[in-house]
Amino acid sequence: MIIVMKRGTGQPDIDNAVAHVEALGLKPVVIQGTERTVIAAVGEERVAGIGSLESCPGVDEVLPILAPYKLASRELKPESSVITAGSLSVGKGTIGVIAGPCSVETEEQILACAHAVKAAGASALRGGAFKPRTSPYSFQGLKEVGLKLLAEAREQTGLAIVTEVVSPDDVDLVSKYADVLQIGARNMQNYRLLEAVGKSHRAALLKRGPSATIDEFLLAAEYILDGGNQNVMLCERGIRTFESHTRFTLPLATVPYVQQRTHLPIVVDPSHGTGHTALVTSMAKAAIAAGADGLIVEIHPNPDKALSDGYQSLNFAQFETMMKECRRIAEAVDRTLGVGV
Ligand code: PEP
Ligand code: MN
């Protein structure tokens, strides 16, 4: 439920309404808008005594939030959220571009990627140090050694680091090195991990599970928001369908749909979404045309030799071309691609 305060309401009336919400057993979240203050009362709304909120001083309206997700909903926060983390800005005028290898492999590899990302005008470096692999026999990542190499790449280039965390036990460790905690598709419904990231002070990039509905996706984001972390970016990375020509099916309608229903920015991953290097640039451009707030793309100095996902990675020349072509689409939709903070 949303409690909309009257314009110009003073702090004592806001505090009083907050106390009233708490007394009903609901969790108050105060959002200071440019025009007025609203209080989200999160929890089971069918509690007795809700009507009395309307008569609290300074309260203009009490409205139900109809969506199952509350803190993520646009009903609660009509303005789009902009998430910034170091050099990365995602949302509104700026399309953030996160690029880098699927996995951090060697110092030489990650530093070469970081310099290529920077030279192409992208915003942040990605790279997995903890890898959630389908097979236990596949490369599992360099773990803390990989995190240290990412930190060195940030040192050299100033790029924000986006890297995956696969377990609640690792959130503190990964937060020590990363600017953005990536929650992978396989972990979208790992609720203990979502809660741990909710308590973290790092921004989160939440990937959609390949079989998750959009409501399930947004309720996963709600776990992080409810934990107190408001810096959540969503990521459409493709879903599983009967089609087998692409690794996953990349549903770009997710972009405008999610933007209508939530204030959270949405990033598109054309690498996992297609699974083919040759399809990545086209889908990156299509994502921008559809209104995406960001892109996350896999690149590698030598995709043929990559330890994971080489078949969907761009080499540096291909990435530079992608950036040039995407920049033209971004201009056509009145947005700026890449760094912009
Ligand atoms: C990745 O980004 O390398 C990754 C494992 O992605 P996803 O979780 O979307 O499969
Ligand atoms: Mn990958």
Side-chain angles (χ1 to χ4, degrees):
M1 165 174 51
I2 308 171
I3 298 129
V4 184
M5 305 302 288
K6 290 182 181 143
R7 261 172 240 271
T9 303
Q11 197 57 46
D13 284 347
I14 295 171
D15 291 345
N16 177 57
V18 163
H20 206 97
V21 168
E22 280 170 344
L24 290 171
L26 300 171
K27 184 171 138 191
V29 179
V30 179
I31 295 143
Q32 307 277 3
T34 40
E35 305 241 317
R36 42 171 121 192
T37 300
V38 301
I39 303 164
V42 190
E44 178 49 72
E45 291 190 5
R46 283 179 297 247
V47 288
I50 277 182
S52 60
L53 266 169
E54 274 171 344
S55 48
C56 282
V59 171
D60 193 8
E61 280 182 291
V62 178
L63 305 164
I65 305 177
L66 299 174
Y69 36 89
K70 311 292 177 191
L71 299 173
S73 76
R74 234 191 229 284
E75 291 165 281
L76 177 75
K77 183 169 179 279
E79 318 93 74
S80 299
S81 292
V82 178
I83 310 296
T84 50
S87 61
L88 177 66
S89 180
V90 172
K92 282 210 181 132
T94 311
I95 299 167
V97 182
I98 304 161
C102 179
S103 306
V104 181
E105 298 170 3
T106 63
E107 182 178 28
E108 195 188 3
Q109 175 244 21
I110 195 65
L111 293 179
C113 286
H115 288 290
V117 168
K118 176 109 178 162
S123 331
L125 178 68
R126 64 151 288 150
F130 289 89
K131 292 304 299 177
R133 303 304 301 280
T134 301
S135 162
Y137 309 119
S138 302
F139 176 58
Q140 301 289 314
L142 297 180
K143 310 205 165 74
E144 191 168 5
V145 171
L147 295 175
K148 288 187 172 149
L149 293 176
L150 287 166
E152 186 187 340
R154 174 176 48 212
E155 191 96 335
Q156 287 199 12
T157 58
L159 292 170
I161 301 299
V162 180
T163 194
E164 182 161 353
V165 57
V166 296
S167 154
D169 299 337
D170 295 335
V171 169
D172 286 344
L173 174 70
V174 178
S175 300
K176 237 168 81 182
Y177 299 95
D179 299 283
V180 177
L181 303 175
Q182 176 177 326
I183 297 167
R186 290 157 191 79
N187 268 316
M188 189 207 83
Q189 287 178 310
N190 180 341
Y191 298 114
R192 299 297 85 82
L193 177 62
L194 299 173
E195 283 167 359
V197 171
K199 290 197 192 90
S200 149
H201 54 288
R202 294 288 180 216
L205 178 78
L206 176 66
K207 292 188 127 191
R208 178 181 184 177
S211 304
T213 65
I214 290 184
D215 272 5
E216 287 164 344
F217 185 26
L218 296 177
L219 282 166
E222 190 79 6
Y223 266 86
I224 306 173
L225 297 166
D226 188 49
N229 187 346
Q230 302 306 308
N231 293 315
V232 179
M233 293 168 260
L234 302 167
C235 177
E236 174 58 83
R237 47 76 75 209
I239 53 173
R240 183 148 280 168
T241 67
F242 55 83
E243 181 55 72
S244 58
H245 285 82
T246 49
R247 185 178 176 190
F248 293 95
T249 296
L250 186 60
L252 289 180
T254 302
V255 172
Y257 183 87
V258 154
Q259 286 169 336
Q260 283 165 25
R261 279 164 178 75
T262 92
H263 55 87
L264 302 174
I266 172 109
V267 171
V268 170
D269 178 345
S271 306
H272 295 86
T274 63
H276 294 283
T277 301
L279 303 179
V280 171
T281 298
S282 300
M283 295 314 283
K285 290 193 283 185
I288 293 173
D293 299 299
L295 295 174
I296 180 165
V297 180
E298 288 186 338
I299 65 168
H300 196 281
N302 190 350
D304 291 346
K305 298 266 158 49
L307 294 183
S308 58
D309 287 357
Y311 48 81
Q312 64 189 30
S313 300
L314 302 180
N315 64 30
F316 296 165
Q318 289 165 329
F319 179 56
E320 219 184 294
T321 305
M322 185 209 92
M323 287 295 286
K324 282 197 185 120
E325 293 186 10
C326 284
R327 201 163 276 126
R328 295 176 60 202
I329 307 286
E331 275 165 25
V333 293
D334 297 325
R335 299 176 88 190
T336 309
L337 187 78
V339 282
V341 274

